Amino acid sequence: MQRQRSLLILIVVLIIAAIAVINTISIPLGLDLRGGSQLTIQVKTTPEIKQITDRELEAVKKIVEGRINGLGVSEPVVQTVGKDQILVQLPGVSDPQQAERVLGGTAQLEFRTQKPGTETQLFAFQSSRAELKAKQQDSIKSNDQAAILKNQQDLQKNNQAIAELFESTNPPLAGKFLKDAAGEPTQNNNWNVAIRFDQKGGELFAELTKKLAGTGRSIGIFLDNELISAPSVGPEFAASGISGGAAVITGRFTAQEANNLGVQLRGGALPLPVQIVENRTVGATLGKDSIQRSIYAGSGGLLLVLIFMLVYYRLPGLIADFALIIYALLTYATFALLGVTLTLPGIAGFILSIGMAVDANVLIFERTREELRAGKTLYRSVEAGFYRAWSSILDSHVTSLISCAALFFLGAGLVKGFALTLALGLGVNLFTAITCSRTLLFLSLQFPNLRKPELFCPNLSTSIKSGAEVQS
């Protein structure tokens, strides 16, 4: 009995927490529900790069993601399609021409020299940029469009102010001279970024580092006129600079940070032009209609399921209805906490997981009825119902989760949304079907008026008694 009470307290706490999360965090809507723009970007080859590999495509994708930040879009979707295309979905963007202007064109990477006497200003601007980016992330999570736009404008002003603290080399040390950039681990469990230039780039880099060595001023690495790194050069290179065409950028990077910087540098070094081959707009009206129909479908289906469970399974059905409502609350709160972008296929996955949640309860209750018909006491029948149904429930959920994993990792776009919401729903269902339903059902057996076999199995033979004991 004490265990059931403890579990009941846990369930109540989770319900309160779920309601608080739902009221605090809004779930972002995908392109098909909210409306916006969708662009397909074709990456083209050049005489220098005659074949686009996954490495080049990933680098161009990183550049596109960086440019999307200039649009101030919340919850964008950027993914590779095939061997030479990138799909971009921009929810809420009603001006596809603006998106096309921002996302088109070849990336521009340049190494610049920091101007003398600007060290304090650079530090202040970089600190300010870090704060602005943190605010922008908070605005995106809360889906505050006005704040997103204001923060983006402030970031653009900040980027321009930083750019004015640097000047180009003569001749310019541009991305076309960079041959490779990649993260590499160190002995101290940190990561560096190794860069390598061609012969001409190595000469220009040596001159640049000789000029800045020991001065405290930085090399400004700019991608599309935005500072992505500002390493300094030690005084030991004051005589001849860093020669040989290779260098290492240190800075206590994590593996992810080093990889991201390496991808950005490689993308800026690629002379790969991109072209917008498709640019279409998804209307907001379609999104509103889709949401409304989805709400009707989900609410209607859930209501019919609740009525069926109550009529056919009596008291266990009523308890299952409470468990389903708890399931819906916890699943929706999980979506909000994890920042799941809700799409039409995602809603379909959620509704399908409700059906599987019902299926778990049906297995339990049918097993319980079998035990009652076999002559066992009510308590033993309920206990055996959960025990005997568990293996079937686990098997069905594991196989479904395997399917979700295959859809998520091998699928793309909306298919991923369906797989993710279905998988999350299945995970929550394991908790609600076993813990919530079981706890509520055993607690009901503590009340004499509810300890009647006919409330669990109608038309049960009168020779079968309810059983004297109700164990705790």
Side-chain angles (χ1 to χ4, degrees), residues 148-295:
I148 290 173
L149 180 59
K150 182 181 183 304
N151 289 331
Q152 190 56 47
Q153 291 172 343
D154 292 340
L155 277 169
Q156 290 174 349
K157 293 178 181 177
N158 180 274
N159 288 334
Q160 184 58 38
I162 290 177
E164 292 176 356
L165 303 181
F166 292 82
E167 57 188 2
S168 300
T169 60
N170 188 19
L173 178 54
K176 64 181 181 180
F177 299 116
L178 185 66
K179 303 301 292 181
D180 195 17
E184 60 177 21
T186 68
Q187 296 180 348
N188 299 324
N189 294 324
N190 293 321
W191 282 72
N192 298 330
V193 179
I195 57 177
R196 181 169 56 85
F197 295 91
D198 61 13
Q199 182 177 354
K200 178 62 176 178
E203 295 172 357
L204 294 175
F205 187 70
E207 294 177 8
L208 173 61
T209 52
K210 179 180 178 180
K211 179 180 179 181
L212 294 177
T215 64
R217 291 182 285 147
S218 303
I219 299 175
I221 305 177
F222 285 81
L223 181 60
D224 289 339
N225 205 40
E226 179 180 350
L227 183 70
I228 60 172
S229 184
S232 58
V233 185
E236 64 272 21
F237 299 104
S240 59
I242 301 177
S243 58
V248 174
I249 302 175
T250 61
R252 296 184 179 273
F253 296 109
T254 64
Q256 185 65 43
E257 290 170 343
N259 179 68
N260 288 343
L261 180 55
V263 171
Q264 286 180 308
L265 292 171
R266 292 198 305 270
L270 291 174
L272 292 174
V274 296
Q275 180 183 358
I276 311 295
V277 295
E278 182 186 25
N279 190 343
R280 64 186 181 91
T281 302
V282 178
T285 302
L286 174 63
K288 291 180 181 178
D289 291 342
S290 300
I291 295 174
Q292 197 171 44
R293 291 175 184 175
S294 299
I295 292 174

Side-chain angles (χ1 to χ4, degrees), residues 42-43 51-54 56-57 80-86:
Q42 178 74 48
V43 183
Q51 183 178 3
I52 299 172
T53 65
D54 292 341
E56 278 87 19
L57 192 61
T80 58
V81 179
K83 296 182 178 180
D84 57 359
Q85 287 188 338
I86 297 173

Side-chain angles (χ1 to χ4, degrees), residues 1 4 377 379-380 383 442-443 445-446 451 468-472:
M1 182 64 182
Q4 273 78 35
T377 63
Y379 183 90
R380 293 298 183 188
E383 189 177 54
F442 277 114
L443 282 174
L445 296 180
Q446 307 302 318
R451 202 183 308 151
E469 86 279 15
V470 175
Q471 302 179 11
S472 59

